[in-house]
Amino acid sequence: MIHGLPSMKSIKSLKSLVRKKTNAQEVSKSGWKMKPFLALMCTALLIFWYKTTNIQFEQTEIEETDYPFDMAKESETVNDKLKGLPHGIIQPRSDLELKPLWSRSSLRSKGVEMTNRNLLAIPVGIKQKVNVDALVKKFLPANFTIVLFHYDGNMDKWWDLEWSSKAIHIVAQNQTKWWFAKRFLHPDVVSIYDYIFLWDEDLGVENFNPERYLRIVKSVGLEISQPALDHNSTEIHHKITLRSRTKKFHRRVYINRGHKRCSNTSADPPCTGFVEGMAPVFSKAAWFCTWNLIQNDLVHGWGMDMKLGYCAQGDRTKNVGIMDSEYIVHQGIQTLGESVPEKKV
């Protein structure tokens, strides 16, 4: 080895050092190139998180304004199993309102919807789809929540209707209106609704307006009511449900022939305090009572109409009535039992 010249080992180590420095510089340069992308990603995630959180917060504010926790007072007889929960966290009631995932576009607009919440529940079969479509379209502009009880199990063929995705669909094969109502319209679930319309599917509503109907119901203090039946209805079982062309509403009927007589002194149904089972309308308080009145094994509901007066929140001769100015046509088409409709005189 010649003195004064670098050895081979030192040359290799020098090359290695230069190579490492070059690699470090390249990594550093690539890191600087990645930083704007990472910053952009972090900014996008922060914006997404902020918007999502803000939407949830605003939705919670809307719900609290509409249905504050103090409205759902904790039950006086809270189960012992719940006593360990922190005070104020118990929410013993619910509702049937759809909750959007990302936006508030499907939420009801502020104002009208919060002061006017009502529910329409109908047992439906696919054979009555056209009639149900016309019926529901009468109620949607009045801000009703729609619940369909599919007794024939056929729900998929309803999705082509424009309002179907906004409705609540419940399916149970060969079950009746009262079976559905007992299981899915518990008073604690429907407590935010002012009125419950529990209607059949075979009703013609050409001459019916739900907003005008409720205005009259509220003004005269009816807790349980129904629209009168047009004279062209296929089935009219009780004279009290027949429409009077000269009245806005009536609470009793007068019969002076046959074995049944109804006069001003009559205090029992079907002379007064009576609505039939095909189209009853209940106030919130009346429905709380009615739900408890429905027996768990009730199927057809025969005889229920005679007992609804117990839930009139007072004098049934005054708090139960028939609306003449807003009337319907009972078509008498029963598809659940596949029976053939008969025109009864």
Side-chain angles (χ1 to χ4, degrees):
M1 182 175 71
I2 302 174
H3 291 286
L5 293 177
S7 65
M8 290 299 293
K9 286 185 179 180
S10 61
I11 292 174
K12 287 182 179 179
S13 62
L14 183 61
K15 287 182 178 180
S16 176
L17 183 63
V18 171
R19 192 180 297 115
K20 287 180 180 178
K21 188 175 181 180
T22 304
N23 291 339
Q25 288 175 345
E26 290 176 355
V27 170
S28 178
K29 287 180 181 179
S30 64
W32 279 106
K33 289 180 181 178
M34 289 290 291
K35 281 183 179 180
F37 175 74
L38 292 173
L40 184 63
M41 285 292 294
C42 290
T43 303
L45 288 172
L46 283 172
I47 293 173
F48 176 77
W49 172 83
Y50 171 78
K51 287 191 173 182
T52 304
T53 305
N54 191 49
I55 288 171
Q56 292 174 343
F57 176 75
E58 290 182 5
Q59 182 177 335
T60 302
E61 278 193 326
I62 291 172
E63 290 180 354
E64 286 180 353
T65 303
D66 176 28
Y67 184 37
F69 282 98
D70 57 6
M71 283 180 62
K73 295 179 179 178
E74 295 177 9
S75 174
E76 293 81 359
T77 57
V78 176
N79 194 300
D80 290 339
K81 295 179 180 178
L82 300 181
K83 287 185 176 179
L85 292 176
H87 178 71
I89 202 173
I90 295 175
Q91 180 74 348
R93 301 180 184 181
S94 183
D95 58 49
L96 292 170
E97 299 298 289
L98 296 175
K99 308 296 181 185
L101 290 177
W102 303 114
S103 71
R104 301 187 308 279
S105 59
S106 60
L107 283 175
R108 304 181 181 206
S109 59
K110 288 186 178 181
V112 177
E113 82 293 354
M114 303 310 179
T115 58
N116 180 25
R117 271 184 155 167
N118 303 296
L119 178 72
L120 171 66
I122 321 172
V124 300
I126 196 62
K127 293 182 179 180
Q128 288 294 312
K129 180 180 177 181
V130 174
N131 195 66
V132 172
D133 182 34
L135 198 160
V136 170
K137 285 179 177 177
K138 280 278 187 172
F139 283 83
L140 284 176
N143 212 37
F144 273 69
T145 296
I146 308 297
V147 179
L148 299 186
F149 300 135
H150 295 271
Y151 60 75
D152 61 354
N154 192 336
M155 190 185 74
D156 291 338
K157 292 184 179 180
W158 292 80
W159 293 120
D160 61 323
L161 300 178
E162 59 181 355
W163 50 263
S164 185
S165 61
K166 300 175 184 177
I168 310 297
H169 298 264
I170 300 173
V171 181
Q173 195 80 24
N174 294 329
Q175 301 304 309
T176 64
K177 177 167 70 175
W178 301 104
W179 184 93
F180 280 107
K182 185 66 175 179
R183 284 149 185 84
F184 299 103
L185 299 184
H186 188 280
D188 286 345
V189 173
V190 299
S191 62
I192 69 168
Y193 304 105
D194 295 323
Y195 289 90
I196 313 295
F197 287 62
L198 189 59
W199 283 21
D200 287 353
E201 61 182 335
D202 59 341
L203 302 177
V205 291
E206 183 179 349
N207 300 295
F208 180 82
N209 181 291
E211 292 176 299
R212 290 199 299 262
Y213 182 93
L214 287 177
R215 278 199 295 270
I216 300 173
V217 164
K218 293 174 184 178
S219 66
V220 299
L222 298 180
E223 296 286 338
I224 301 176
S225 60
Q226 77 159 78
L229 300 183
D230 185 77
H231 289 255
N232 292 323
S233 296
T234 301
E235 293 184 353
I236 298 177
H237 300 288
H238 301 279
K239 187 179 178 181
I240 191 174
T241 63
L242 189 62
R243 180 192 175 216
S244 170
R245 293 186 175 93
T246 60
K247 297 178 180 178
K248 184 179 290 186
F249 73 96
H250 65 271
R251 294 185 175 97
R252 60 173 62 247
V253 68
Y254 299 94
I255 301 174
N256 294 316
R257 63 169 183 255
H259 67 282
K260 183 64 180 179
R261 296 181 178 272
C262 297
S263 65
N264 278 326
T265 60
S266 301
D268 299 321
C271 295
T272 187
F274 178 86
V275 298
E276 203 167 353
M278 91 282 290
V281 179
F282 304 93
S283 70
K284 184 189 306 186
W287 178 250
F288 177 86
C289 171
T290 301
W291 185 89
N292 284 278
L293 188 67
I294 301 171
Q295 300 301 299
N296 197 54
D297 60 350
L298 186 66
V299 179
H300 292 289
W302 294 329
M304 272 289 295
D305 47 12
M306 295 292 179
K307 305 301 180 184
L308 292 178
Y310 288 115
C311 295
Q313 308 302 297
D315 188 346
R316 65 183 174 190
T317 65
K318 296 179 180 178
N319 297 346
V320 181
I322 309 292
M323 199 66 57
D324 297 300
S325 60
E326 302 299 322
Y327 57 97
I328 58 176
V329 175
H330 186 206
Q331 299 165 354
I333 301 173
Q334 299 177 3
T335 53
L336 177 58
E338 298 297 332
S339 60
V340 179
E342 298 178 3
K343 187 171 181 61
K344 297 183 179 180
V345 181

